[in-house]
Amino acid sequence: LLPAIQAARAAARRTQCKNQIRQIALANLTYAEANRNTLPPGIVGENTTNAAAYNGNERYSMFTLILPYLEENSLYKTLDITGKTYKS
């Protein structure tokens, strides 16, 4: 019985992972449609073109830009990507 339960749990984890990857892919495509067929950049913030010049200011990954398309608009609104500070 235990191997069957473990197999069912593993299948559920795989299904959940596939669904999350699908949601991220769809969010990227929706972002591209809304932004002149351009995918989100990998890094957003100060000194994004020169990683060696990073001076401790906040930088955000592309996942920050697709938050509104992942139904996380309230979280996205708490970030100030241009000012690199958190809104309260």
Side-chain angles (χ1 to χ4, degrees):
L1 183 63
L2 189 58
I5 292 172
Q6 289 175 338
R9 287 181 179 166
R13 282 191 299 269
R14 277 193 306 275
T15 302
Q16 182 181 21
C17 185
K18 287 179 184 179
N19 184 47
Q20 290 172 344
I21 291 171
R22 183 178 297 117
Q23 293 301 318
I24 290 170
L26 289 173
N28 276 304
L29 292 174
T30 307
Y31 176 93
E33 285 180 14
N35 292 284
R36 295 176 276 140
N37 292 327
T38 304
L39 290 172
I43 299 173
V44 177
E46 195 169 314
N47 294 326
T48 57
T49 57
N50 184 0
Y54 176 62
N55 59 5
N57 290 334
E58 290 184 26
R59 295 191 292 183
Y60 299 95
S61 76
M62 50 95 46
F63 294 106
T64 305
L65 296 175
I66 64 170
L67 282 173
Y69 306 102
L70 291 170
E71 298 179 6
E72 294 290 342
N73 202 26
S74 59
L75 176 59
Y76 180 76
K77 288 181 179 180
T78 64
L79 301 172
D80 180 14
I81 295 173
T82 57
K84 296 160 199 73
T85 57
Y86 292 100
K87 295 178 185 176
S88 53

